[in-house]
Amino acid sequence: MSRDVHVIDHPLVQHKLTLMRRKDTSTKSFRELVHELSALLAYEITREMPMHEIEIETPLEKMKSRVIDGKKVVLASILRAGNGFLDGMLQVIPGARVGHIGLYRDPATLKAVEYYFKMPHDMHERDVIVLDPMLATGNSAVAAVDRLKQTKPRSIRFVCLVTCPEGIKTFHDAHPDVPIYTPAVDRGLNEHGYIVPGLGDAGDRIFGTK
Ligand code: URA
């Protein structure tokens, strides 16, 4: 199957990501940048969504014009850092529904354990965009998509800010059919499971908790 990785190389995206990576970027700036960047990412991710024609009437005449197929898109945020993407994405896809997936890592087994899962109805008619800024070990992303697939959505895409070869491999070994959209594929993981050079702990930087 496809194992697609779309690296979003747009200059505005790359410029904003560079500013976010800097360790002296404040919480306020980081949050503003993640907001701006996620709107740009939403634009790229939705580029190939299926469309169909409907008949409308302009002030001058009738015409056929295109709209996105199916029910509204679902933004599925992996708590908590995924929430940082929501406002920017909703600016571009204002009708989207929002689902949440809460996972924690069991310290004994190191496996992802679900503590919260809430999605809209009729998932089989919806396209899901999974939000998690850092695709690092890939374990929580795999668990989130495992769970999402049980709801049988029409399609799933995964979006992050930064990933690395280990995260991509783990994710695509489990879910080769789910394309990854990312502005950056970094060198790798350090011994604590952080992406290097990365940008640190995305949740802490978005919410100012460190
Ligand atoms: N989560 C983060 O927030 N940052 C990393 O580098 C890895 C996981």
Side-chain angles (χ1 to χ4, degrees), residues 146-161:
D146 282 344
R147 181 67 178 85
L148 265 171
K149 281 186 172 175
Q150 293 172 13
T151 70
K152 302 204 180 325
R154 188 169 67 168
S155 71
I156 305 179
R157 294 167 173 79
F158 187 92
V159 58
C160 58
L161 284 178

Side-chain angles (χ1 to χ4, degrees), residues 81 132-137 189 192-204:
D132 191 358
M134 308 302 278
L135 178 57
T137 62
L189 290 178
H192 305 293
Y194 277 81
I195 297 174
V196 281
L199 49 72
D201 188 301
D204 280 342

Side-chain angles (χ1 to χ4, degrees), residues 69-203:
D69 256 350
K71 293 219 179 203
K72 299 215 157 65
V73 165
V74 180
L75 302 177
S77 168
I78 302 183
L79 299 173
R80 80 186 152 141
N83 279 5
F85 274 150
L86 286 176
D87 288 349
M89 296 240 171
L90 285 168
Q91 205 175 312
V92 179
I93 322 171
R97 303 300 168 91
V98 178
H100 292 92
I101 306 169
L103 300 163
Y104 71 89
R105 188 152 63 148
D106 184 311
T109 63
L110 301 183
K111 293 232 167 84
V113 180
E114 178 187 313
Y115 65 86
Y116 190 76
F117 187 85
K118 186 82 182 176
M119 291 294 142
H121 299 298
D122 304 327
M123 290 291 278
H124 60 284
E125 293 179 73
R126 300 183 191 276
D127 298 299
V128 180
I129 301 173
V130 183
L131 312 176
D132 191 358
M134 308 302 278
L135 178 57
T137 62
N139 295 336
S140 53
V142 168
V145 173
D146 282 344
R147 181 67 178 85
L148 265 171
K149 281 186 172 175
Q150 293 172 13
T151 70
K152 302 204 180 325
R154 188 169 67 168
S155 71
I156 305 179
R157 294 167 173 79
F158 187 92
V159 58
C160 58
L161 284 178
V162 183
T163 185
C164 59
E166 298 92 317
I168 292 172
K169 180 173 185 320
T170 300
F171 186 76
H172 272 160
D173 283 351
H175 298 296
D177 55 317
V178 177
I180 298 168
Y181 292 78
T182 183
V185 181
D186 278 10
R187 191 172 72 246
L189 290 178
N190 71 10
E191 65 278 22
H192 305 293
Y194 277 81
I195 297 174
V196 281
L199 49 72
D201 188 301

